[in-house]
Amino acid sequence: MRIPTTSSISNAFSFSSLCSSTRLLSRRGIGICSVMAGERISTDAAGKEGSVWSTLRWGEEAGIGKRIFCNRSLNMRSIVAVGFDMDYTLAQYLPETFESLAYTGTIRKLVNDLGYPREILGWTFDWKYMVRGLVLDKKRGNILKMDRHKYVKVAHHGFKELPKEEKNATYGNKLIRDSFDEPEYALIDTLFSLAEAYLFAQLVDFRDNHPGKFSSDFDYGRMYRDVRAAVDLCHRDGTLKEMVAKNPGKYITEDFSIVPMFKMLRDSGRATFLVTNSLWDYTNVVMNFLCGYYNPGKELSYSYDWLKNFDVVITGSSKPSFFLDNRANLFEVEPESGMLLNTDDGIVIPQARK
């Protein structure tokens, strides 16, 4: 879905790359941001101090979460637009509330829709336990931590660490090793995956300790597929986003630096755009909250002023296929009603180019 305000945009890069070329920007008289600790004041080419865009307080040491790290420089002269994702990019979800909500919803789907034992409804989620970078061995029910050479440093079966001898016998201790790719393995490379990885480990232990509760063909691979199906169902049927929309502040980190960041980019002459897999109604709620327009006292009453921060907003994008399929249809959204304008019963109505 699309809410167009300008023509198409190309050459999109993330904001983290923008601040890696402050010298190039200052030559052109564009406002810049310094990435050094304690220097978060925007300046112009003459070095005159402007407003603080990354924090509301002066002289405060930048925390590790506010610093920008880059591994290459970027000449911003060739960059005409900067694009953003919303979920876990602009909207930083609180794991202790959002991931716990996803975990609870997934368990309910497993019990109510997939027939899992009801005693798992009493399980709890430790949101600090899992980290990104782990690999799930679906066939064996193991969770692996590897180095960059794909050497398995640590392996757990459920929550129980495997002895070194068993680990080496299973995954080898030579340079030639398994590729650890799909479909036999699953990468825990997003924050969305942490809750499902934790639940998978719990189910592995539960199956081992209660074999009579599962049929003989109920293996670890099937449990992983069931967890994935339950997680996807929570996202598709609105279980998670309905709760977040009722109280965004409970599940999303409030960040006052986002709107000044958009302004800095647009003042530099660059276009900005948003591409998210979330649909329009949820995107509108979250962006109202992030841009400071959300009023908890006025339920279902939202502003559309946040749209002025972007030249193009694309919702329901179905990434990553969005970037690969040039034949995908684009529908224009009417903001107030959420209805699609250029469609007739799901069929795209051709429109003249503007």
Side-chain angles (χ1 to χ4, degrees), residues 24-126:
L24 293 172
L25 287 174
S26 62
R27 288 175 184 167
R28 302 179 61 194
I30 299 172
I32 64 174
C33 70
S34 171
V35 299
M36 297 179 63
E39 295 185 22
R40 301 180 313 285
I41 304 170
S42 62
T43 62
D44 58 19
K48 183 179 179 180
E49 294 183 354
S51 60
V52 177
W53 66 268
S54 61
T55 180
L56 296 181
R57 293 179 290 272
W58 293 81
E60 179 186 349
E61 181 70 15
I64 192 70
K66 287 289 186 181
R67 299 183 188 181
I68 298 174
F69 300 87
C70 58
N71 55 15
R72 71 181 184 93
S73 61
L74 176 67
N75 189 335
M76 290 298 294
R77 292 179 181 177
S78 62
I79 306 304
V80 299
V82 180
F84 298 88
D85 190 7
M86 185 180 74
D87 298 309
Y88 274 120
T89 301
L90 293 176
Q92 293 295 317
Y93 292 98
L94 298 168
E96 60 269 35
T97 53
F98 182 79
E99 292 303 328
S100 295
L101 181 66
Y103 171 87
T104 302
T106 301
I107 285 185
R108 289 175 179 169
K109 300 295 184 187
L110 289 174
V111 173
N112 298 330
D113 299 336
L114 298 176
Y116 276 67
R118 296 194 62 83
E119 50 259 52
I120 73 173
L121 290 172
W123 288 358
T124 57
F125 171 53
D126 182 0

Side-chain angles (χ1 to χ4, degrees), residues 38 118 161 253 271 350:
R118 296 194 62 83
E161 184 173 358
T253 300

Side-chain angles (χ1 to χ4, degrees), residues 27-319:
R27 288 175 184 167
R28 302 179 61 194
I30 299 172
I32 64 174
C33 70
S34 171
V35 299
M36 297 179 63
E39 295 185 22
R40 301 180 313 285
I41 304 170
S42 62
T43 62
D44 58 19
K48 183 179 179 180
E49 294 183 354
S51 60
V52 177
W53 66 268
S54 61
T55 180
L56 296 181
R57 293 179 290 272
W58 293 81
E60 179 186 349
E61 181 70 15
I64 192 70
K66 287 289 186 181
R67 299 183 188 181
I68 298 174
F69 300 87
C70 58
N71 55 15
R72 71 181 184 93
S73 61
L74 176 67
N75 189 335
M76 290 298 294
R77 292 179 181 177
S78 62
I79 306 304
V80 299
V82 180
F84 298 88
D85 190 7
M86 185 180 74
D87 298 309
Y88 274 120
T89 301
L90 293 176
Q92 293 295 317
Y93 292 98
L94 298 168
E96 60 269 35
T97 53
F98 182 79
E99 292 303 328
S100 295
L101 181 66
Y103 171 87
T104 302
T106 301
I107 285 185
R108 289 175 179 169
K109 300 295 184 187
L110 289 174
V111 173
N112 298 330
D113 299 336
L114 298 176
Y116 276 67
R118 296 194 62 83
E119 50 259 52
I120 73 173
L121 290 172
W123 288 358
T124 57
F125 171 53
D126 182 0
W127 60 273
K128 296 181 180 180
Y129 187 86
M130 294 291 179
V131 296
R132 286 178 292 179
L134 301 175
V135 176
L136 300 187
D137 184 341
K138 305 175 190 178
K139 179 180 178 180
R140 301 179 179 90
N142 295 341
I143 302 175
L144 315 177
K145 184 175 180 61
M146 299 181 293
D147 62 17
R148 61 179 179 173
H149 303 293
K150 294 189 176 181
Y151 176 78
V152 178
K153 306 285 287 186
V154 181
H156 281 69
H157 181 74
F159 290 105
K160 181 181 179 181
E161 184 173 358
L162 295 180
K164 183 177 180 179
E165 295 75 14
E166 184 177 353
K167 180 198 71 172
N168 289 339
T170 304
Y171 301 105
N173 55 5
K174 299 180 180 179
L175 293 178
I176 301 177
R177 299 186 180 88
D178 203 331
S179 60
F180 298 103
D181 294 329
E182 294 281 2
E184 290 83 6
Y185 299 90
L187 303 180
I188 307 303
D189 53 1
T190 68
L191 293 171
F192 283 113
S193 304
L194 301 183
E196 64 187 65
Y198 189 86
L199 179 55
F200 177 68
Q202 287 180 301
L203 289 172
V204 168
D205 283 352
F206 186 76
R207 179 185 179 278
D208 292 346
N209 296 328
H210 304 87
K213 293 184 178 291
F214 299 92
S215 60
S216 58
D217 62 341
F218 210 95
D219 56 15
Y220 302 124
R222 177 177 172 180
M223 287 196 303
Y224 176 81
R225 292 192 297 272
D226 287 345
V227 170
R228 281 296 318 142
V231 170
D232 289 341
L233 186 58
C234 285
H235 286 281
R236 287 200 307 268
D237 68 4
T239 299
L240 299 179
K241 294 182 177 180
E242 181 180 346
M243 295 298 295
V244 175
K246 290 180 179 179
N247 187 6
K250 181 179 179 180
Y251 302 100
I252 304 174
T253 300
E254 192 171 17
D255 189 347
F256 297 105
S257 67
I258 290 179
V259 173
M261 177 185 65
F262 292 147
K263 184 178 186 303
M264 182 193 69
L265 291 172
R266 296 174 67 81
D267 287 348
S268 73
R270 286 163 181 82
T272 55
F273 64 95
L274 177 69
V275 182
T276 174
N277 285 351
S278 294
L279 299 180
W280 162 248
D281 53 352
Y282 182 72
T283 300
N284 189 36
V285 173
V286 173
M287 293 307 300
N288 263 272
F289 175 77
L290 293 175
C291 294
Y293 300 115
Y294 176 76
N295 188 340
K298 295 183 179 180
E299 187 175 359
L300 301 180
S301 177
Y302 302 108
S303 168
Y304 305 110
D305 289 345
W306 65 269
L307 290 170
K308 66 186 179 184
N309 295 301
F310 301 98
D311 294 88
V312 173
V313 171
I314 300 175
T315 64
S317 63
S318 299
K319 293 176 295 180

